[in-house]
Amino acid sequence: MSTTKVNNRIFLSSPHMSEQGYEEQYVKEAFETNWVAPVGENINGFERELANMIDSKAAVALSSGTAAIHLALKAAGVKEGDVVFCPTLTFSATANPIIYQNATPVFIDSNYETWNMSPEALEEAFVKYPEVQAVIVVHLYGLSAEMDKIMEICNKHNVAVIEDAAESLGSYYKGQQTGTIGDYGIFSFNGNKIITTSGGGMLVSNKEERIEKARFWATQSRDQAQHYQHSELGFNYRMSNIVAGVGRGQLKVLEKRVEKKKYIFEYYKRELEGLEGVEFMPINDWDEPNYWLSALILNGQIRPIDVIQALEKENIESRPIWKPMHLQPFFEKYDFLGVGLSEKLFDNGMCLPSDTKMTDEDLEKVVGIIKRLWFK
Ligand SMILES: *Cc1c(COP(=O)(O)O)cnc(C)c1O
């Protein structure tokens, strides 16, 4: 089952269930006890097992990573009119929940060393918006942001840090799991992430009482009473017990998935690094990434679109780097601080197929198609 390909297509990153069938076993147990809903043993197990694995005190399983960011913002006290700093180079799901809270995003540029939030641009933002309520940091493509500098700046201003670790489960910054360094961390189990539950998310924190509060909001904010009573706005954001079963099984193979992602990255790097204008994503000394996607920039004559089209012709999926939020029609009215490095990364960057089901033959094929563009 696990090696079957849909239409022989090579994907960027697609679901990969365990060879051992762990996920099915957990889901089967839920079926056999009719415990498909409401909350049940798989949810409790998934929360406990993930929290243990990453060394966090508390976790709440939710319907998506986006929901987790939303509740993290609420837990950090973000409300109408507040300013939230957010990296510009990210997926829109990082920024959308700021708008759900009727708050105002201010977008922060990337730096060249990490591709993630620039500490220099962040300092500038604190000068311009000293009233900021929270900072969201993203660990893009599994590369960790420069957390020591970012935490130092945020601690100096006593502002909550939310780590969007949707793409970086299994990535370590100086030995610490990304998502556990700031006040709150979020993970996503969407279909293309390093492990998936088909869809889902997790909010983690060492502030146990804040996680309990998030659990309460996520379950429609039901007060403790015989009747249905609500003194706060509620959300239907909890994960189902079936979905959590898939997650428990996937956690068992996370390490193997990281190993394969690293193998893929190193294969590409070995084969393509010498090509004119090719520069791979930065792996810093402090960083032990999960290599979720192998990304690179092309500074020469061959453009990302040339590579993407050549691969697509052979039924192989690849894509450009995230388009910065401050260039998005929906978000362009918000402020942006930086020198425009994120725009350069967007103009020149792309992600190669990084699916953990790829064989050496597949990798050879991708590399062959790319090299032909340089040597024709
Ligand atoms: C996938 C992703 C999310 C959103 O997660 P969902 O589970 O799809 O809601 C948020 N931020 C980043 C950076 C992501 O890549």
Side-chain angles (χ1 to χ4, degrees), residues 63-67 69 90-91 93-94 138 140 164 166-167 186-190 192-193 200-201 292 322:
S63 52
S64 70
T66 310
I69 297 170
T90 187
F91 180 45
T94 310
V138 179
L140 214 61
D164 177 346
E167 301 178 2
I186 77 95
F187 298 99
S188 165
F189 312 108
N190 187 21
N192 66 5
K193 297 303 193 304
W292 174 53
W322 299 122

mmCIF file with all atom_site columns, all heavy atoms in Angstrom, residues 63-67 69 90-91 93-94 138 140 164 166-167 186-190 192-193 200-201 292 322, ligand 1:
data_model
loop_
_atom_site.group_PDB
_atom_site.id
_atom_site.type_symbol
_atom_site.label_atom_id
_atom_site.label_alt_id
_atom_site.label_comp_id
_atom_site.label_asym_id
_atom_site.label_entity_id
_atom_site.label_seq_id
_atom_site.pdbx_PDB_ins_code
_atom_site.Cartn_x
_atom_site.Cartn_y
_atom_site.Cartn_z
_atom_site.occupancy
_atom_site.B_iso_or_equiv
_atom_site.pdbx_formal_charge
_atom_site.auth_seq_id
_atom_site.auth_comp_id
_atom_site.auth_asym_id
_atom_site.auth_atom_id
_atom_site.pdbx_PDB_model_num
ATOM   1   N N   . SER A 1 63  ? -8.468  20.747 14.988 1.00 0.00 ? 63  SER A N   1
ATOM   2   C CA  . SER A 1 63  ? -8.899  20.370 13.642 1.00 0.00 ? 63  SER A CA  1
ATOM   3   C C   . SER A 1 63  ? -7.913  20.788 12.548 1.00 0.00 ? 63  SER A C   1
ATOM   4   O O   . SER A 1 63  ? -7.934  20.249 11.452 1.00 0.00 ? 63  SER A O   1
ATOM   5   C CB  . SER A 1 63  ? -10.269 20.985 13.352 1.00 0.00 ? 63  SER A CB  1
ATOM   6   O OG  . SER A 1 63  ? -10.240 22.366 13.612 1.00 0.00 ? 63  SER A OG  1
ATOM   7   N N   . SER A 1 64  ? -7.036  21.747 12.828 1.00 0.00 ? 64  SER A N   1
ATOM   8   C CA  . SER A 1 64  ? -6.039  22.171 11.838 1.00 0.00 ? 64  SER A CA  1
ATOM   9   C C   . SER A 1 64  ? -4.937  22.986 12.504 1.00 0.00 ? 64  SER A C   1
ATOM   10  O O   . SER A 1 64  ? -5.107  23.467 13.638 1.00 0.00 ? 64  SER A O   1
ATOM   11  C CB  . SER A 1 64  ? -6.692  23.025 10.743 1.00 0.00 ? 64  SER A CB  1
ATOM   12  O OG  . SER A 1 64  ? -7.084  24.282 11.270 1.00 0.00 ? 64  SER A OG  1
ATOM   13  N N   . GLY A 1 65  ? -3.856  23.167 11.771 1.00 0.00 ? 65  GLY A N   1
ATOM   14  C CA  . GLY A 1 65  ? -2.788  24.037 12.236 1.00 0.00 ? 65  GLY A CA  1
ATOM   15  C C   . GLY A 1 65  ? -3.259  25.486 12.288 1.00 0.00 ? 65  GLY A C   1
ATOM   16  O O   . GLY A 1 65  ? -2.859  26.252 13.164 1.00 0.00 ? 65  GLY A O   1
ATOM   17  N N   . THR A 1 66  ? -4.112  25.853 11.350 1.00 0.00 ? 66  THR A N   1
ATOM   18  C CA  . THR A 1 66  ? -4.662  27.213 11.323 1.00 0.00 ? 66  THR A CA  1
ATOM   19  C C   . THR A 1 66  ? -5.469  27.489 12.599 1.00 0.00 ? 66  THR A C   1
ATOM   20  O O   . THR A 1 66  ? -5.339  28.559 13.205 1.00 0.00 ? 66  THR A O   1
ATOM   21  C CB  . THR A 1 66  ? -5.565  27.394 10.082 1.00 0.00 ? 66  THR A CB  1
ATOM   22  O OG1 . THR A 1 66  ? -4.848  26.945 8.934  1.00 0.00 ? 66  THR A OG1 1
ATOM   23  C CG2 . THR A 1 66  ? -5.971  28.833 9.892  1.00 0.00 ? 66  THR A CG2 1
ATOM   24  N N   . ALA A 1 67  ? -6.290  26.520 13.003 1.00 0.00 ? 67  ALA A N   1
ATOM   25  C CA  . ALA A 1 67  ? -7.067  26.647 14.249 1.00 0.00 ? 67  ALA A CA  1
ATOM   26  C C   . ALA A 1 67  ? -6.115  26.798 15.433 1.00 0.00 ? 67  ALA A C   1
ATOM   27  O O   . ALA A 1 67  ? -6.373  27.580 16.363 1.00 0.00 ? 67  ALA A O   1
ATOM   28  C CB  . ALA A 1 67  ? -7.966  25.431 14.435 1.00 0.00 ? 67  ALA A CB  1
ATOM   29  N N   . ILE A 1 69  ? -3.100  28.148 15.413 1.00 0.00 ? 69  ILE A N   1
ATOM   30  C CA  . ILE A 1 69  ? -2.561  29.521 15.413 1.00 0.00 ? 69  ILE A CA  1
ATOM   31  C C   . ILE A 1 69  ? -3.602  30.489 15.959 1.00 0.00 ? 69  ILE A C   1
ATOM   32  O O   . ILE A 1 69  ? -3.305  31.371 16.759 1.00 0.00 ? 69  ILE A O   1
ATOM   33  C CB  . ILE A 1 69  ? -2.106  29.945 13.996 1.00 0.00 ? 69  ILE A CB  1
ATOM   34  C CG1 . ILE A 1 69  ? -0.953  29.051 13.522 1.00 0.00 ? 69  ILE A CG1 1
ATOM   35  C CG2 . ILE A 1 69  ? -1.662  31.413 13.982 1.00 0.00 ? 69  ILE A CG2 1
ATOM   36  C CD1 . ILE A 1 69  ? -0.591  29.219 12.052 1.00 0.00 ? 69  ILE A CD1 1
ATOM   37  N N   . THR A 1 90  ? 5.855   33.188 4.086  1.00 0.00 ? 90  THR A N   1
ATOM   38  C CA  . THR A 1 90  ? 5.177   32.051 4.699  1.00 0.00 ? 90  THR A CA  1
ATOM   39  C C   . THR A 1 90  ? 3.926   31.734 3.914  1.00 0.00 ? 90  THR A C   1
ATOM   40  O O   . THR A 1 90  ? 3.582   32.407 2.937  1.00 0.00 ? 90  THR A O   1
ATOM   41  C CB  . THR A 1 90  ? 4.830   32.349 6.177  1.00 0.00 ? 90  THR A CB  1
ATOM   42  O OG1 . THR A 1 90  ? 4.309   31.165 6.789  1.00 0.00 ? 90  THR A OG1 1
ATOM   43  C CG2 . THR A 1 90  ? 3.787   33.457 6.308  1.00 0.00 ? 90  THR A CG2 1
ATOM   44  N N   . PHE A 1 91  ? 3.232   30.683 4.348  1.00 0.00 ? 91  PHE A N   1
ATOM   45  C CA  . PHE A 1 91  ? 1.933   30.317 3.810  1.00 0.00 ? 91  PHE A CA  1
ATOM   46  C C   . PHE A 1 91  ? 0.882   31.223 4.472  1.00 0.00 ? 91  PHE A C   1
ATOM   47  O O   . PHE A 1 91  ? 1.038   31.606 5.631  1.00 0.00 ? 91  PHE A O   1
ATOM   48  C CB  . PHE A 1 91  ? 1.690   28.843 4.146  1.00 0.00 ? 91  PHE A CB  1
ATOM   49  C CG  . PHE A 1 91  ? 0.386   28.289 3.671  1.00 0.00 ? 91  PHE A CG  1
ATOM   50  C CD1 . PHE A 1 91  ? -0.085  28.536 2.389  1.00 0.00 ? 91  PHE A CD1 1
ATOM   51  C CD2 . PHE A 1 91  ? -0.368  27.484 4.504  1.00 0.00 ? 91  PHE A CD2 1
ATOM   52  C CE1 . PHE A 1 91  ? -1.294  28.000 1.957  1.00 0.00 ? 91  PHE A CE1 1
ATOM   53  C CE2 . PHE A 1 91  ? -1.578  26.942 4.067  1.00 0.00 ? 91  PHE A CE2 1
ATOM   54  C CZ  . PHE A 1 91  ? -2.035  27.203 2.805  1.00 0.00 ? 91  PHE A CZ  1
ATOM   55  N N   . ALA A 1 93  ? -1.781  30.768 5.855  1.00 0.00 ? 93  ALA A N   1
ATOM   56  C CA  . ALA A 1 93  ? -2.390  30.251 7.097  1.00 0.00 ? 93  ALA A CA  1
ATOM   57  C C   . ALA A 1 93  ? -1.726  30.831 8.345  1.00 0.00 ? 93  ALA A C   1
ATOM   58  O O   . ALA A 1 93  ? -2.333  30.858 9.408  1.00 0.00 ? 93  ALA A O   1
ATOM   59  C CB  . ALA A 1 93  ? -2.326  28.734 7.135  1.00 0.00 ? 93  ALA A CB  1
ATOM   60  N N   . THR A 1 94  ? -0.484  31.303 8.220  1.00 0.00 ? 94  THR A N   1
ATOM   61  C CA  . THR A 1 94  ? 0.175   31.942 9.366  1.00 0.00 ? 94  THR A CA  1
ATOM   62  C C   . THR A 1 94  ? -0.498  33.276 9.684  1.00 0.00 ? 94  THR A C   1
ATOM   63  O O   . THR A 1 94  ? -0.680  33.626 10.848 1.00 0.00 ? 94  THR A O   1
ATOM   64  C CB  . THR A 1 94  ? 1.667   32.219 9.050  1.00 0.00 ? 94  THR A CB  1
ATOM   65  O OG1 . THR A 1 94  ? 2.261   31.038 8.533  1.00 0.00 ? 94  THR A OG1 1
ATOM   66  C CG2 . THR A 1 94  ? 2.413   32.668 10.295 1.00 0.00 ? 94  THR A CG2 1
ATOM   67  N N   . VAL A 1 138 ? 8.042   31.716 12.048 1.00 0.00 ? 138 VAL A N   1
ATOM   68  C CA  . VAL A 1 138 ? 7.830   30.497 11.262 1.00 0.00 ? 138 VAL A CA  1
ATOM   69  C C   . VAL A 1 138 ? 9.174   29.808 11.030 1.00 0.00 ? 138 VAL A C   1
ATOM   70  O O   . VAL A 1 138 ? 10.197  30.479 10.844 1.00 0.00 ? 138 VAL A O   1
ATOM   71  C CB  . VAL A 1 138 ? 7.167   30.822 9.906  1.00 0.00 ? 138 VAL A CB  1
ATOM   72  C CG1 . VAL A 1 138 ? 6.973   29.555 9.073  1.00 0.00 ? 138 VAL A CG1 1
ATOM   73  C CG2 . VAL A 1 138 ? 5.834   31.505 10.112 1.00 0.00 ? 138 VAL A CG2 1
ATOM   74  N N   . LEU A 1 140 ? 10.426  27.856 8.284  1.00 0.00 ? 140 LEU A N   1
ATOM   75  C CA  . LEU A 1 140 ? 10.045  27.541 6.915  1.00 0.00 ? 140 LEU A CA  1
ATOM   76  C C   . LEU A 1 140 ? 10.757  26.310 6.367  1.00 0.00 ? 140 LEU A C   1
ATOM   77  O O   . LEU A 1 140 ? 11.974  26.194 6.521  1.00 0.00 ? 140 LEU A O   1
ATOM   78  C CB  . LEU A 1 140 ? 10.417  28.761 6.068  1.00 0.00 ? 140 LEU A CB  1
ATOM   79  C CG  . LEU A 1 140 ? 9.522   29.105 4.902  1.00 0.00 ? 140 LEU A CG  1
ATOM   80  C CD1 . LEU A 1 140 ? 8.122   29.410 5.365  1.00 0.00 ? 140 LEU A CD1 1
ATOM   81  C CD2 . LEU A 1 140 ? 10.101  30.285 4.150  1.00 0.00 ? 140 LEU A CD2 1
ATOM   82  N N   . ASP A 1 164 ? 5.180   29.079 14.671 1.00 0.00 ? 164 ASP A N   1
ATOM   83  C CA  . ASP A 1 164 ? 4.458   28.310 13.665 1.00 0.00 ? 164 ASP A CA  1
ATOM   84  C C   . ASP A 1 164 ? 5.429   27.228 13.163 1.00 0.00 ? 164 ASP A C   1
ATOM   85  O O   . ASP A 1 164 ? 6.249   27.470 12.291 1.00 0.00 ? 164 ASP A O   1
ATOM   86  C CB  . ASP A 1 164 ? 4.000   29.229 12.533 1.00 0.00 ? 164 ASP A CB  1
ATOM   87  C CG  . ASP A 1 164 ? 3.298   28.468 11.413 1.00 0.00 ? 164 ASP A CG  1
ATOM   88  O OD1 . ASP A 1 164 ? 3.386   27.227 11.379 1.00 0.00 ? 164 ASP A OD1 1
ATOM   89  O OD2 . ASP A 1 164 ? 2.675   29.135 10.555 1.00 0.00 ? 164 ASP A OD2 1
ATOM   90  N N   . ALA A 1 166 ? 4.463   24.434 11.805 1.00 0.00 ? 166 ALA A N   1
ATOM   91  C CA  . ALA A 1 166 ? 3.643   23.571 10.936 1.00 0.00 ? 166 ALA A CA  1
ATOM   92  C C   . ALA A 1 166 ? 4.509   22.736 9.993  1.00 0.00 ? 166 ALA A C   1
ATOM   93  O O   . ALA A 1 166 ? 4.165   21.610 9.662  1.00 0.00 ? 166 ALA A O   1
ATOM   94  C CB  . ALA A 1 166 ? 2.667   24.425 10.126 1.00 0.00 ? 166 ALA A CB  1
ATOM   95  N N   . GLU A 1 167 ? 5.647   23.321 9.573  1.00 0.00 ? 167 GLU A N   1
ATOM   96  C CA  . GLU A 1 167 ? 6.503   22.630 8.601  1.00 0.00 ? 167 GLU A CA  1
ATOM   97  C C   . GLU A 1 167 ? 7.725   22.006 9.263  1.00 0.00 ? 167 GLU A C   1
ATOM   98  O O   . GLU A 1 167 ? 8.576   21.448 8.578  1.00 0.00 ? 167 GLU A O   1
ATOM   99  C CB  . GLU A 1 167 ? 6.960   23.645 7.529  1.00 0.00 ? 167 GLU A CB  1
ATOM   100 C CG  . GLU A 1 167 ? 5.791   24.279 6.793  1.00 0.00 ? 167 GLU A CG  1
ATOM   101 C CD  . GLU A 1 167 ? 6.212   25.330 5.762  1.00 0.00 ? 167 GLU A CD  1
ATOM   102 O OE1 . GLU A 1 167 ? 7.418   25.560 5.584  1.00 0.00 ? 167 GLU A OE1 1
ATOM   103 O OE2 . GLU A 1 167 ? 5.303   25.923 5.138  1.00 0.00 ? 167 GLU A OE2 1
ATOM   104 N N   . ILE A 1 186 ? 2.836   25.591 17.380 1.00 0.00 ? 186 ILE A N   1
ATOM   105 C CA  . ILE A 1 186 ? 1.751   24.902 16.672 1.00 0.00 ? 186 ILE A CA  1
ATOM   106 C C   . ILE A 1 186 ? 2.350   23.964 15.620 1.00 0.00 ? 186 ILE A C   1
ATOM   107 O O   . ILE A 1 186 ? 3.388   24.235 15.032 1.00 0.00 ? 186 ILE A O   1
ATOM   108 C CB  . ILE A 1 186 ? 0.735   25.868 16.013 1.00 0.00 ? 186 ILE A CB  1
ATOM   109 C CG1 . ILE A 1 186 ? 1.287   26.478 14.713 1.00 0.00 ? 186 ILE A CG1 1
ATOM   110 C CG2 . ILE A 1 186 ? 0.287   26.980 16.965 1.00 0.00 ? 186 ILE A CG2 1
ATOM   111 C CD1 . ILE A 1 186 ? 0.853   25.708 13.480 1.00 0.00 ? 186 ILE A CD1 1
ATOM   112 N N   . PHE A 1 187 ? 1.647   22.848 15.420 1.00 0.00 ? 187 PHE A N   1
ATOM   113 C CA  . PHE A 1 187 ? 2.030   21.886 14.389 1.00 0.00 ? 187 PHE A CA  1
ATOM   114 C C   . PHE A 1 187 ? 0.827   21.627 13.485 1.00 0.00 ? 187 PHE A C   1
ATOM   115 O O   . PHE A 1 187 ? -0.315  21.806 13.904 1.00 0.00 ? 187 PHE A O   1
ATOM   116 C CB  . PHE A 1 187 ? 2.502   20.570 15.023 1.00 0.00 ? 187 PHE A CB  1
ATOM   117 C CG  . PHE A 1 187 ? 3.711   20.742 15.893 1.00 0.00 ? 187 PHE A CG  1
ATOM   118 C CD1 . PHE A 1 187 ? 3.584   20.836 17.273 1.00 0.00 ? 187 PHE A CD1 1
ATOM   119 C CD2 . PHE A 1 187 ? 4.973   20.858 15.330 1.00 0.00 ? 187 PHE A CD2 1
ATOM   120 C CE1 . PHE A 1 187 ? 4.695   21.034 18.076 1.00 0.00 ? 187 PHE A CE1 1
ATOM   121 C CE2 . PHE A 1 187 ? 6.100   21.048 16.123 1.00 0.00 ? 187 PHE A CE2 1
ATOM   122 C CZ  . PHE A 1 187 ? 5.955   21.135 17.500 1.00 0.00 ? 187 PHE A CZ  1
ATOM   123 N N   . SER A 1 188 ? 1.104   21.203 12.254 1.00 0.00 ? 188 SER A N   1
ATOM   124 C CA  . SER A 1 188 ? 0.033   20.866 11.312 1.00 0.00 ? 188 SER A CA  1
ATOM   125 C C   . SER A 1 188 ? 0.200   19.431 10.842 1.00 0.00 ? 188 SER A C   1
ATOM   126 O O   . SER A 1 188 ? 1.325   18.966 10.650 1.00 0.00 ? 188 SER A O   1
ATOM   127 C CB  . SER A 1 188 ? 0.092   21.799 10.100 1.00 0.00 ? 188 SER A CB  1
ATOM   128 O OG  . SER A 1 188 ? -0.698  21.277 9.042  1.00 0.00 ? 188 SER A OG  1
ATOM   129 N N   . PHE A 1 189 ? -0.912  18.748 10.671 1.00 0.00 ? 189 PHE A N   1
ATOM   130 C CA  . PHE A 1 189 ? -0.904  17.387 10.121 1.00 0.00 ? 189 PHE A CA  1
ATOM   131 C C   . PHE A 1 189 ? -1.713  17.334 8.838  1.00 0.00 ? 189 PHE A C   1
ATOM   132 O O   . PHE A 1 189 ? -2.380  16.354 8.527  1.00 0.00 ? 189 PHE A O   1
ATOM   133 C CB  . PHE A 1 189 ? -1.429  16.389 11.172 1.00 0.00 ? 189 PHE A CB  1
ATOM   134 C CG  . PHE A 1 189 ? -0.783  16.572 12.509 1.00 0.00 ? 189 PHE A CG  1
ATOM   135 C CD1 . PHE A 1 189 ? -1.489  17.116 13.570 1.00 0.00 ? 189 PHE A CD1 1
ATOM   136 C CD2 . PHE A 1 189 ? 0.551   16.257 12.684 1.00 0.00 ? 189 PHE A CD2 1
ATOM   137 C CE1 . PHE A 1 189 ? -0.879  17.328 14.804 1.00 0.00 ? 189 PHE A CE1 1
ATOM   138 C CE2 . PHE A 1 189 ? 1.179   16.466 13.909 1.00 0.00 ? 189 PHE A CE2 1
ATOM   139 C CZ  . PHE A 1 189 ? 0.459   17.001 14.969 1.00 0.00 ? 189 PHE A CZ  1
ATOM   140 N N   . ASN A 1 190 ? -1.645  18.447 8.099  1.00 0.00 ? 190 ASN A N   1
ATOM   141 C CA  . ASN A 1 190 ? -2.264  18.537 6.781  1.00 0.00 ? 190 ASN A CA  1
ATOM   142 C C   . ASN A 1 190 ? -1.596  17.510 5.847  1.00 0.00 ? 190 ASN A C   1
ATOM   143 O O   . ASN A 1 190 ? -0.500  17.034 6.124  1.00 0.00 ? 190 ASN A O   1
ATOM   144 C CB  . ASN A 1 190 ? -2.055  19.974 6.276  1.00 0.00 ? 190 ASN A CB  1
ATOM   145 C CG  . ASN A 1 190 ? -2.806  20.234 4.994  1.00 0.00 ? 190 ASN A CG  1
ATOM   146 O OD1 . ASN A 1 190 ? -3.756  19.529 4.667  1.00 0.00 ? 190 ASN A OD1 1
ATOM   147 N ND2 . ASN A 1 190 ? -2.382  21.233 4.252  1.00 0.00 ? 190 ASN A ND2 1
ATOM   148 N N   . ASN A 1 192 ? 0.167   17.369 3.179  1.00 0.00 ? 192 ASN A N   1
ATOM   149 C CA  . ASN A 1 192 ? 1.510   17.432 2.589  1.00 0.00 ? 192 ASN A CA  1
ATOM   150 C C   . ASN A 1 192 ? 2.613   17.633 3.629  1.00 0.00 ? 192 ASN A C   1
ATOM   151 O O   . ASN A 1 192 ? 3.776   17.751 3.284  1.00 0.00 ? 192 ASN A O   1
ATOM   152 C CB  . ASN A 1 192 ? 1.571   18.501 1.504  1.00 0.00 ? 192 ASN A CB  1
ATOM   153 C CG  . ASN A 1 192 ? 1.397   19.910 2.060  1.00 0.00 ? 192 ASN A CG  1
ATOM   154 O OD1 . ASN A 1 192 ? 1.326   20.100 3.267  1.00 0.00 ? 192 ASN A OD1 1
ATOM   155 N ND2 . ASN A 1 192 ? 1.325   20.885 1.182  1.00 0.00 ? 192 ASN A ND2 1
ATOM   156 N N   . LYS A 1 193 ? 2.260   17.651 4.911  1.00 0.00 ? 193 LYS A N   1
ATOM   157 C CA  . LYS A 1 193 ? 3.278   17.871 5.943  1.00 0.00 ? 193 LYS A CA  1
ATOM   158 C C   . LYS A 1 193 ? 4.087   16.592 6.191  1.00 0.00 ? 193 LYS A C   1
ATOM   159 O O   . LYS A 1 193 ? 3.758   15.528 5.668  1.00 0.00 ? 193 LYS A O   1
ATOM   160 C CB  . LYS A 1 193 ? 2.609   18.373 7.232  1.00 0.00 ? 193 LYS A CB  1
ATOM   161 C CG  . LYS A 1 193 ? 1.906   19.727 7.076  1.00 0.00 ? 193 LYS A CG  1
ATOM   162 C CD  . LYS A 1 193 ? 2.834   20.802 6.580  1.00 0.00 ? 193 LYS A CD  1
ATOM   163 C CE  . LYS A 1 193 ? 2.356   22.223 6.672  1.00 0.00 ? 193 LYS A CE  1
ATOM   164 N NZ  . LYS A 1 193 ? 1.112   22.620 6.066  1.00 0.00 ? 193 LYS A NZ  1
ATOM   165 N N   . GLY A 1 200 ? -5.349  18.203 10.429 1.00 0.00 ? 200 GLY A N   1
ATOM   166 C CA  . GLY A 1 200 ? -5.365  18.360 11.877 1.00 0.00 ? 200 GLY A CA  1
ATOM   167 C C   . GLY A 1 200 ? -4.235  19.242 12.335 1.00 0.00 ? 200 GLY A C   1
ATOM   168 O O   . GLY A 1 200 ? -3.379  19.639 11.535 1.00 0.00 ? 200 GLY A O   1
ATOM   169 N N   . GLY A 1 201 ? -4.235  19.577 13.615 1.00 0.00 ? 201 GLY A N   1
ATOM   170 C CA  . GLY A 1 201 ? -3.184  20.431 14.164 1.00 0.00 ? 201 GLY A CA  1
ATOM   171 C C   . GLY A 1 201 ? -3.012  20.189 15.650 1.00 0.00 ? 201 GLY A C   1
ATOM   172 O O   . GLY A 1 201 ? -3.796  19.447 16.264 1.00 0.00 ? 201 GLY A O   1
ATOM   173 N N   . TRP A 1 292 ? 11.848  19.147 5.359  1.00 0.00 ? 292 TRP A N   1
ATOM   174 C CA  . TRP A 1 292 ? 10.497  18.882 4.836  1.00 0.00 ? 292 TRP A CA  1
ATOM   175 C C   . TRP A 1 292 ? 10.436  19.019 3.322  1.00 0.00 ? 292 TRP A C   1
ATOM   176 O O   . TRP A 1 292 ? 9.961   18.126 2.624  1.00 0.00 ? 292 TRP A O   1
ATOM   177 C CB  . TRP A 1 292 ? 9.470   19.816 5.499  1.00 0.00 ? 292 TRP A CB  1
ATOM   178 C CG  . TRP A 1 292 ? 8.107   19.691 4.904  1.00 0.00 ? 292 TRP A CG  1
ATOM   179 C CD1 . TRP A 1 292 ? 7.390   18.526 4.751  1.00 0.00 ? 292 TRP A CD1 1
ATOM   180 C CD2 . TRP A 1 292 ? 7.300   20.729 4.370  1.00 0.00 ? 292 TRP A CD2 1
ATOM   181 N NE1 . TRP A 1 292 ? 6.175   18.798 4.152  1.00 0.00 ? 292 TRP A NE1 1
ATOM   182 C CE2 . TRP A 1 292 ? 6.101   20.126 3.909  1.00 0.00 ? 292 TRP A CE2 1
ATOM   183 C CE3 . TRP A 1 292 ? 7.460   22.117 4.237  1.00 0.00 ? 292 TRP A CE3 1
ATOM   184 C CZ2 . TRP A 1 292 ? 5.072   20.880 3.319  1.00 0.00 ? 292 TRP A CZ2 1
ATOM   185 C CZ3 . TRP A 1 292 ? 6.441   22.849 3.660  1.00 0.00 ? 292 TRP A CZ3 1
ATOM   186 C CH2 . TRP A 1 292 ? 5.260   22.231 3.214  1.00 0.00 ? 292 TRP A CH2 1
ATOM   187 N N   . TRP A 1 322 ? 7.129   30.198 -1.307 1.00 0.00 ? 322 TRP A N   1
ATOM   188 C CA  . TRP A 1 322 ? 5.953   30.982 -0.906 1.00 0.00 ? 322 TRP A CA  1
ATOM   189 C C   . TRP A 1 322 ? 6.037   32.421 -1.401 1.00 0.00 ? 322 TRP A C   1
ATOM   190 O O   . TRP A 1 322 ? 7.085   33.063 -1.275 1.00 0.00 ? 322 TRP A O   1
ATOM   191 C CB  . TRP A 1 322 ? 5.826   31.035 0.626  1.00 0.00 ? 322 TRP A CB  1
ATOM   192 C CG  . TRP A 1 322 ? 5.660   29.724 1.331  1.00 0.00 ? 322 TRP A CG  1
ATOM   193 C CD1 . TRP A 1 322 ? 6.480   29.230 2.305  1.00 0.00 ? 322 TRP A CD1 1
ATOM   194 C CD2 . TRP A 1 322 ? 4.610   28.763 1.171  1.00 0.00 ? 322 TRP A CD2 1
ATOM   195 N NE1 . TRP A 1 322 ? 6.004   28.012 2.736  1.00 0.00 ? 322 TRP A NE1 1
ATOM   196 C CE2 . TRP A 1 322 ? 4.866   27.704 2.064  1.00 0.00 ? 322 TRP A CE2 1
ATOM   197 C CE3 . TRP A 1 322 ? 3.476   28.691 0.361  1.00 0.00 ? 322 TRP A CE3 1
ATOM   198 C CZ2 . TRP A 1 322 ? 4.040   26.586 2.157  1.00 0.00 ? 322 TRP A CZ2 1
ATOM   199 C CZ3 . TRP A 1 322 ? 2.662   27.583 0.453  1.00 0.00 ? 322 TRP A CZ3 1
ATOM   200 C CH2 . TRP A 1 322 ? 2.938   26.550 1.342  1.00 0.00 ? 322 TRP A CH2 1
HETATM 201 C C1  . LIG B 2 .   ? 0.483   24.084 6.537  1.00 0.00 ? 1   LIG B C1  1
HETATM 202 C C2  . LIG B 2 .   ? 0.822   25.330 7.227  1.00 0.00 ? 1   LIG B C2  1
HETATM 203 C C3  . LIG B 2 .   ? -0.071  25.926 8.127  1.00 0.00 ? 1   LIG B C3  1
HETATM 204 C C4  . LIG B 2 .   ? -1.507  25.527 8.285  1.00 0.00 ? 1   LIG B C4  1
HETATM 205 O O1  . LIG B 2 .   ? -1.761  24.259 8.713  1.00 0.00 ? 1   LIG B O1  1
HETATM 206 P P1  . LIG B 2 .   ? -3.192  23.595 8.386  1.00 0.00 ? 1   LIG B P1  1
HETATM 207 O O2  . LIG B 2 .   ? -3.168  22.361 9.221  1.00 0.00 ? 1   LIG B O2  1
HETATM 208 O O3  . LIG B 2 .   ? -3.217  23.307 6.916  1.00 0.00 ? 1   LIG B O3  1
HETATM 209 O O4  . LIG B 2 .   ? -4.260  24.537 8.794  1.00 0.00 ? 1   LIG B O4  1
HETATM 210 C C5  . LIG B 2 .   ? 0.350   27.055 8.813  1.00 0.00 ? 1   LIG B C5  1
HETATM 211 N N1  . LIG B 2 .   ? 1.560   27.578 8.630  1.00 0.00 ? 1   LIG B N1  1
HETATM 212 C C6  . LIG B 2 .   ? 2.444   27.048 7.766  1.00 0.00 ? 1   LIG B C6  1
HETATM 213 C C7  . LIG B 2 .   ? 3.780   27.678 7.621  1.00 0.00 ? 1   LIG B C7  1
HETATM 214 C C8  . LIG B 2 .   ? 2.101   25.918 7.017  1.00 0.00 ? 1   LIG B C8  1
HETATM 215 O O5  . LIG B 2 .   ? 2.966   25.429 6.124  1.00 0.00 ? 1   LIG B O5  1
#
